[in-house]
Amino acid sequence: MLLSLVLHMYSMCCVLPAAVLLGTAPTYVLAWGAWRLLSAFLPSRFYQAVDDRLYCIYQSMVLFFFENYTGVQILLYGDLPKNKENIIYLANHQSTVDWIVADILAIRQNALGHVRYVLKDGLKWLPLYGCYFSQHGGIYVKRSAKFNEKEMRKKLQSYINAGTPMYLVIFPEGTRYNPELTKVISASQTFAAQEGLPVLKHVLTPRIKATHVAFDSMKNYLDAIYDVTVAFEGTVDDKGQRKEAPSMAEFLCKECPKIHIHIDRIDKKDVPEEQVYMKRWLHERFEIKDKLLIEFYDSLDPERRNKFPGESVNSKLSLKKTLPSFLILSGLTAGMLMTEAGRKLYVKTWIYGTLIGCLWVSIKA
């Protein structure tokens, strides 16, 4: 009986946050949809400014759960500027939590509302979220030969023309690194060897297309590139081998005590513009990531494991930045669900919002 109680409490650790995060989605979409209609005849910069503010509110609630609720310790290494900039954020990819790590950095620069993602094309079918991410500035891309460079350039140029603040998140590996998927790692290492590039151990060989198109399209608009390397503490098994990074559910169940984040700010003038040179440059950046992660996971000195080289800063997020968003969105949702008309509107938003969203992205995204 005691074991059952423990298991029940463990499951509730992630069920409650997930219920709130998903449960408030219709409320958020309704608020956004109302603004989208009201701003239809206004210059796009007005729509974008309020949309960024709405997005900041929702993502602040996300961080309430993923930082304040879980109590995870955030350790920052390197040079994260205090002020927001127009940037491209390049990071290693290993978990569904990675996109939240971008939020973790952005909120510390007061840039949370400006975060936009380059996403795998299949994610556009997510109920409610898929369509909204596209409207907020996300760009869905297909792999290899199906990559639509012209469409990506067009969308980025529209944001530049509107003066849209840009915190563009790209995961150049294209898929998550999972040490248990040895075939994926082997194929990535074989490709690197065939291309005459150094073989990487703790990251996959990066793909250049999205990064090059993004930088080439926005080079006169950007301030810098952030090269971000992330390691989740507690991802080593009893034999000292790296294991799969925590999923969102595992993270909300407080299975990750610390996130180590290393940031290199690279001025745009130090990034090569030609694709052939940028390909080499990007691989070199991932070589640096690999060395950092080798130090983190494989250092022969136990004192140097589970941390990156150099000094770290323990960065704690104040409840003042997240709790109000949680109270606003959960309160509005609870109020809607207390009336019969509100419940009908809530259900219809889930159903029709999803159908209309899927129709929209099938045409536009």
Side-chain angles (χ1 to χ4, degrees):
M1 185 175 178
L2 180 60
L3 178 61
S4 298
L5 179 61
V6 170
L7 290 173
H8 177 70
M9 292 179 65
Y10 176 82
S11 65
M12 289 300 291
C13 284
C14 64
V15 170
L16 286 175
V20 174
L21 292 171
L22 291 173
T24 55
T27 308
Y28 179 78
V29 168
L30 283 170
W32 166 78
W35 171 242
R36 194 75 181 97
L37 290 173
L38 288 171
S39 64
F41 300 104
L42 297 176
S44 58
R45 66 179 180 274
F46 289 104
Y47 159 73
Q48 201 68 63
V50 176
D51 175 59
D52 281 9
R53 184 57 194 155
L54 289 172
Y55 187 76
C56 180
I57 292 172
Y58 186 82
Q59 294 302 327
S60 294
M61 182 185 67
V62 171
L63 290 177
F64 169 77
F65 287 110
F66 279 87
E67 273 207 69
N68 302 120
Y69 171 79
T70 62
V72 65
Q73 188 175 352
I74 305 299
L75 296 171
L76 302 180
Y77 304 74
D79 47 354
L80 179 68
K82 292 183 179 179
N83 299 320
K84 56 188 174 184
E85 305 178 281
N86 289 320
I87 61 106
I88 294 174
Y89 169 112
L90 302 176
N92 57 313
H93 194 19
Q94 59 196 308
S95 168
T96 50
V97 181
D98 289 336
W99 68 275
I100 294 168
V101 175
D103 287 350
I104 286 171
L105 294 184
I107 197 171
R108 285 160 170 81
Q109 294 179 277
N110 294 316
L112 185 56
H114 310 325
V115 176
R116 313 176 207 284
Y117 300 92
V118 174
L119 301 157
K120 288 191 294 188
D121 189 66
L123 294 175
K124 69 185 182 184
W125 305 113
L126 285 172
L128 299 184
Y129 294 98
C131 177
Y132 174 71
F133 281 142
S134 175
Q135 292 292 299
H136 180 65
I139 300 171
Y140 292 107
V141 296
K142 295 180 181 179
R143 294 178 182 172
S144 61
K146 294 182 179 180
F147 179 83
N148 192 333
E149 178 179 332
K150 183 179 179 180
E151 186 61 31
M152 183 174 178
R153 287 184 182 275
K154 180 181 176 181
K155 196 161 190 178
L156 289 172
Q157 189 59 50
S158 70
Y159 299 142
I160 294 171
N161 294 342
T164 303
M166 189 57 64
Y167 203 103
L168 186 65
V169 178
I170 302 176
F171 300 111
E173 291 160 285
T175 192
R176 293 194 296 270
Y177 177 98
N178 182 346
E180 297 174 10
L181 300 180
T182 54
K183 288 185 178 179
V184 173
I185 296 171
S186 178
S188 175
Q189 292 174 339
T190 299
F191 175 77
Q194 290 172 345
E195 293 289 309
L197 299 169
V199 172
L200 306 172
K201 181 180 180 182
H202 284 294
V203 291
L204 302 177
T205 304
R207 302 163 187 256
I208 187 60
K209 285 185 179 180
T211 303
H212 178 259
V213 170
F215 183 79
D216 190 56
S217 300
M218 300 192 297
K219 58 190 175 187
N220 296 323
Y221 190 69
L222 295 173
D223 296 303
I225 285 181
Y226 291 177
D227 183 5
V228 180
T229 306
V230 180
F232 297 95
E233 195 163 313
T235 51
V236 175
D237 63 22
D238 295 336
K239 297 180 181 178
Q241 298 298 309
R242 183 180 176 183
K243 61 181 183 180
E244 185 177 3
S247 64
M248 284 188 180
E250 291 167 337
F251 195 91
L252 287 171
C253 285
K254 307 182 181 184
E255 292 191 11
C256 179
K258 298 178 184 179
I259 305 179
H260 298 256
I261 310 172
H262 188 281
I263 309 106
D264 274 333
R265 182 190 182 278
I266 303 166
D267 195 279
K268 65 180 182 181
K269 70 177 186 299
D270 297 324
V271 181
E273 295 183 15
E274 294 291 331
Q275 182 168 330
V276 63
Y277 298 117
M278 183 180 280
K279 180 179 179 179
R280 179 67 208 189
W281 172 85
L282 183 61
H283 197 86
E284 288 172 353
R285 296 309 309 180
F286 270 73
E287 289 176 55
I288 294 171
K289 291 180 185 296
D290 203 39
K291 289 176 182 177
L292 288 170
L293 292 168
I294 287 172
E295 182 84 357
F296 188 93
Y297 289 110
D298 304 330
S299 177
L300 297 176
D301 182 357
E303 295 295 321
R304 296 170 66 179
R305 281 189 222 133
N306 289 318
K307 61 182 179 179
F308 290 133
E311 295 295 321
S312 65
V313 175
N314 182 8
S315 179
K316 188 173 178 62
L317 183 62
S318 171
L319 272 172
K320 292 179 182 179
K321 288 194 171 186
T322 60
L323 183 60
S325 296
F326 164 69
L327 294 175
I328 290 169
L329 286 170
S330 58
L332 288 172
T333 303
M336 185 188 303
L337 294 175
M338 288 177 69
T339 66
E340 184 178 353
R343 289 191 290 273
K344 287 181 179 179
L345 178 60
Y346 183 87
V347 172
K348 287 179 179 179
T349 302
W350 264 118
I351 296 172
Y352 295 117
T354 298
L355 293 175
I356 293 170
C358 288
L359 178 62
W360 178 267
V361 295
S362 67
I363 298 170
K364 294 286 187 179

